[in-house]
Amino acid sequence: MSYSMTTLDDGNITSGGIHFIMLEGYVAYYKSNDQYKWLEKNLAKVDRIVTPWLVATWHPPWYSTYTAHYREAKCMKVAMEELLYEYGVILVFNCHVMVETVRRWP
């Protein structure tokens, strides 16, 4: 199978057989809000034969045992998780815990 070049469409990136979806965890995400409607429209138009991999990312994780941010994105999860499963999003990247490291060189 041959894949197209990288394209940027409506805030998303499609590269080869991967469609990357960028979401915002700190704005409205309920079914009646713009982000949810945009996501649903975006997922529906992806041709899974040409682009079989759907990958989504946003900042606060839905599942975390880190107590300082525990359940911070629970409402977003409740609102959007079923939609991501319905359309077969196969991979999600989150990162919320920022750890400052000090590098020491000999």
Side-chain angles (χ1 to χ4, degrees):
M1 176 179 275
S2 168
Y3 293 111
S4 64
M5 298 294 288
T6 300
T7 59
L8 178 62
D9 174 39
D10 196 21
N12 296 293
I13 300 168
T14 300
S15 183
I18 306 170
H19 184 71
F20 295 93
I21 302 160
M22 313 305 176
L23 298 174
E24 174 54 64
Y26 299 110
V27 300
Y29 36 69
Y30 295 104
K31 288 183 180 183
S32 61
N33 297 114
D34 290 341
Q35 180 173 224
Y36 187 96
K37 292 175 185 177
W38 170 85
L39 175 61
E40 189 170 32
K41 181 180 173 185
N42 185 283
L43 290 170
K45 73 179 183 177
V46 175
D47 181 347
R48 295 302 293 275
I49 293 172
V50 176
T51 313
W53 293 74
L54 292 177
V55 176
T57 187
W58 58 90
H59 187 66
W62 291 350
Y63 300 96
S64 176
T65 58
Y66 185 63
T67 57
H69 298 288
Y70 180 66
R71 300 178 87 177
E72 180 177 319
K74 173 81 172 169
C75 293
M76 183 185 186
K77 174 187 174 290
V78 169
M80 295 184 135
E81 186 175 40
E82 186 177 321
L83 184 63
L84 297 177
Y85 274 115
E86 179 184 335
Y87 282 95
V89 171
I90 60 162
L91 184 62
V92 170
F93 289 105
N94 301 122
C95 183
H96 194 74
V97 179
M98 284 64 113
V99 178
E100 291 188 34
T101 59
V102 177
R103 293 184 181 177
R104 295 183 184 187
W105 297 94

